[in-house]
Amino acid sequence: MKKVSIIGGGIIGLCSAYYLAKEGYEVVVFDKSDMNDGCSYGNAGMIVPSHIIPLAQPGMIAQGIKWMFDSHSPFYVKPRLNLDLMKWGLQFYKHANYKHVEKAMPALRDLSLLSKELYQDFARQNSSFFYEEKGLLMLFKTDKTGIEIEHEGILAERLGLQVDFLSKAEVSQLEKGTVTDVIGGVHYKSDAHIYPQKFMQFIKDELNRMNVKIEQNTSVNDFVLKNNKVAEIITDKGTFTTDEVVLAAGSWSPYIARKLNINISILPGKGYSFTLKDQEHKPTIPSILCEGKVAVTPMNTDIRFGGTMEITHTNDIKINQNRLQGIVNSINDFYPELKIEMPKEEDTWFGFRPCTPSGMPIIARDKKLKNLTVVTGHAMMGLSLAPATGKIVSEIIAEKPASVNTQMFQL
Ligand SMILES: Cc1cc2nc3c(=O)[nH]c(=O)nc-3n(C[C@H](O)[C@H](O)[C@H](O)COP(=O)(O)OP(=O)(O)OC[C@H]3O[C@@H](n4cnc5c(N)ncnc54)[C@H](O)[C@@H]3O)c2cc1C
């Protein structure tokens, strides 16, 4: 059987490894880290068929410019004189229109719904990662935001998703864990959630059981190309031959792609989270606090809060206290009983979401290098879309028809 080498052991790489091993391939995963704390671990754990509108959407440019002048805002582009950033910005601008969103919505819905089915399969096997189907509440405090959120809900309903439009009183009836100070909400009943760290452990255990080799603390640095194929992978621990390569290195994918003479436009969208234990009052339904774009997820007995999207670079590892304060302020505004304090620096997690300028993930065979599949750019939906993405990677490599239409996920 062919040997498939996967570069990147985040959730996208590991789910790809899982479905490839299931197809009978010999699989090896390379990751430069010890695979314990990257973007796939501290995220908000939401499985979101509700998220059918990509980041590149009408209105986002104007909103983004306004937010750039507010140090507590949830979305920020770190200005710098950099060619990659300028190219990314131009492409983002080109995609922020209705035509793109109209094409993107059914493609994201189908990929998401497939992913949720696959999560349900995993959850039937194992309960260790606390899969729950409580939906997602989009909560809002102002009429302006309410109108936008309800409009998105109507679009989702038209695409067949189950959506409830809730008054203030109906939100309180649904969310009994704590007081919510909002004027209304939209409840996407299709959504689910998990505990990301526990899922990552579950999938690593599955891969071990299936004899997938995991080479952690091994950085992929270069390649040997022969006859329009990747013949060898050069790492800091030696050189490995391969039949197929899957590039799944999240926000670092562009650097690796450059070694293969491929241009991938991805920038990291830095976000923060912190997880609290033993809270007396806590929300019980996963929610997004819309004005502050804060995600709130109950995970077993813990509660995780996550937010901000700073378009930056992968060396930017500083925790921006103003933006963290923005998250804390939103939580206290929406849930007055919680009285959350600023988390300590050591209790604050951050991760880099791999963001394409179109807001669409890439799940595609390269056109020039015949044994290369690129699978990255899942931005704020990587956990949600990972199982479906992994399954499609296995279908691409096995040359089987894809489970969903992949036209919108090309390089
Ligand atoms: C605050 C926050 C909240 C989020 N909430 C959600 C959510 O609720 N739902 C959701 O679906 N998504 C969410 N996301 C997004 C999600 O976490 C990401 O989309 C996802 O983790 C990306 O996975 P990945 O495997 O593509 O990348 P990563 O997890 O970043 O994995 C890439 C891997 O490649 C490795 N690598 C890099 N370079 C090399 C090299 N040269 N050699 C070998 N290995 C290399 C890295 O070490 C890393 O382990 C959130 C993100 C953030 C920041």
Side-chain angles (χ1 to χ4, degrees):
M1 201 34 142
K2 276 182 174 175
K3 178 176 171 188
V4 185
S5 303
I6 300 181
I7 306 170
I11 197 160
I12 299 295
L14 295 190
C15 284
S16 302
Y18 176 86
Y19 290 101
L20 284 161
K22 237 179 140 185
E23 278 287 329
Y25 289 100
E26 181 192 341
V27 183
V28 52
V29 179
F30 297 99
D31 199 290
K32 66 175 182 170
S33 74
D34 58 5
M35 295 172 65
N36 269 319
D37 192 37
C39 194
S40 300
Y41 291 80
N43 63 64
M46 292 176 175
I47 297 161
V48 282
S50 58
H51 281 38
I52 45 173
I53 301 182
L55 190 62
Q57 57 184 269
M60 196 58 195
I61 301 281
Q63 179 68 71
I65 291 170
K66 246 192 263 164
W67 273 338
M68 275 181 73
F69 296 100
D70 175 0
S71 64
H72 293 88
S73 72
F75 181 75
Y76 181 71
V77 180
K78 205 173 184 138
R80 65 203 153 99
L81 268 179
N82 173 283
L83 197 60
D84 290 342
L85 176 60
M86 283 189 265
K87 282 189 190 158
W88 190 95
L90 189 66
Q91 282 301 315
F92 188 93
Y93 177 77
K94 279 191 183 162
H95 283 96
N97 59 59
Y98 287 107
K99 218 171 131 198
H100 173 64
V101 170
E102 250 170 42
K103 280 198 281 178
M105 284 193 306
L108 287 174
R109 175 203 55 194
D110 293 349
L111 192 62
S112 274
L113 290 175
L114 171 63
S115 227
K116 186 178 156 192
E117 274 175 33
L118 299 172
Y119 268 119
Q120 286 170 331
D121 289 347
F122 284 134
R124 274 190 284 272
Q125 281 177 50
N126 191 299
S127 59
S128 65
F129 49 91
F130 303 105
Y131 175 85
E132 284 193 88
E133 291 184 359
K134 290 185 172 174
L136 173 67
L137 255 178
M138 305 292 287
L139 297 171
F140 47 84
K141 287 174 84 72
T142 59
D143 287 331
K144 183 176 172 285
T145 309
I147 290 167
E148 285 163 19
I149 297 299
E150 285 175 355
H151 174 67
E152 287 175 10
I154 292 166
L155 293 179
E157 229 178 9
R158 278 192 205 140
L159 282 174
L161 298 178
Q162 258 193 307
V163 185
D164 279 351
F165 298 86
L166 308 180
S167 65
K168 180 183 172 70
E170 286 165 335
V171 169
S172 305
Q173 266 164 26
L174 189 66
E175 180 49 271
K176 294 205 168 68
T178 188
V179 171
T180 36
D181 185 6
V182 295
I183 62 164
V186 170
H187 189 210
Y188 287 91
K189 294 168 133 177
S190 49
D191 289 16
H193 66 283
I194 54 170
Y195 204 134
Q197 278 94 338
K198 314 257 184 223
F199 180 76
M200 291 300 277
Q201 191 54 55
F202 158 75
I203 198 93
K204 282 190 247 182
D205 292 345
E206 284 294 292
L207 296 179
N208 279 332
R209 194 180 55 73
M210 294 192 284
N211 295 322
V212 169
K213 241 184 168 179
I214 299 189
E215 304 280 0
Q216 55 188 41
N217 298 311
T218 304
S219 177
V220 172
N221 295 335
D222 213 341
F223 301 91
V224 176
L225 307 182
K226 269 186 206 153
N227 306 326
N228 291 331
K229 283 187 167 184
V230 184
E232 288 174 30
I233 296 179
I234 301 172
T235 77
D236 57 354
K237 302 270 163 69
T239 299
F240 298 80
T241 56
T242 192
D243 299 309
E244 288 281 344
V245 176
V246 176
L247 174 54
S251 293
W252 294 267
S253 302
Y255 309 120
I256 299 170
R258 239 165 251 165
K259 302 276 180 190
L260 296 162
N261 304 316
I262 296 169
N263 183 30
I264 300 178
S265 184
I266 283 182
L267 289 176
K270 190 160 97 174
Y272 303 102
S273 80
F274 55 93
T275 308
L276 300 181
K277 296 183 185 293
D278 309 321
Q279 281 290 116
E280 188 191 348
H281 302 284
K282 60 174 177 240
T284 54
I285 315 276
S287 299
I288 293 186
L289 315 180
C290 292
E291 280 83 0
K293 298 225 178 299
V294 172
V296 182
T297 319
M299 295 179 182
N300 189 22
T301 54
D302 301 345
I303 182 109
R304 179 167 295 170
F305 301 98
T308 83
M309 172 76 101
E310 291 174 59
I311 299 296
T312 181
H313 50 87
T314 47
N315 294 326
D316 176 12
I317 56 167
K318 197 173 146 258
I319 292 173
N320 183 323
Q321 294 295 325
N322 280 342
R323 255 165 252 291
L324 197 58
Q325 184 71 61
I327 297 178
V328 170
N329 293 350
S330 287
I331 300 166
N332 289 329
D333 284 350
F334 278 74
Y335 302 117
E337 277 182 327
L338 260 60
K339 300 191 175 53
I340 301 286
E341 289 177 7
M342 272 289 274
K344 290 190 200 130
E345 193 143 333
E346 62 267 28
D347 296 331
T348 307
W349 172 92
F350 70 85
F352 294 121
R353 305 170 182 91
C355 300
T356 58
S358 64
M360 300 302 277
I362 300 166
I363 313 170
R365 258 278 195 233
D366 184 53
K367 291 197 177 72
K368 277 183 262 148
L369 291 171
K370 294 187 175 57
N371 63 345
L372 173 71
T373 304
V374 178
V375 58
T376 181
H378 292 69
M380 65 266 217
M381 293 186 279
L383 173 132
S384 190
L385 299 176
T389 299
K391 188 161 199 309
I392 292 170
V393 168
S394 75
E395 291 165 347
I396 291 174
I397 290 177
E399 295 181 355
K400 289 185 174 173
S403 297
V404 299
N405 188 336
T406 57
Q407 217 179 339
M408 290 297 287
F409 312 131
Q410 296 305 306
L411 253 172

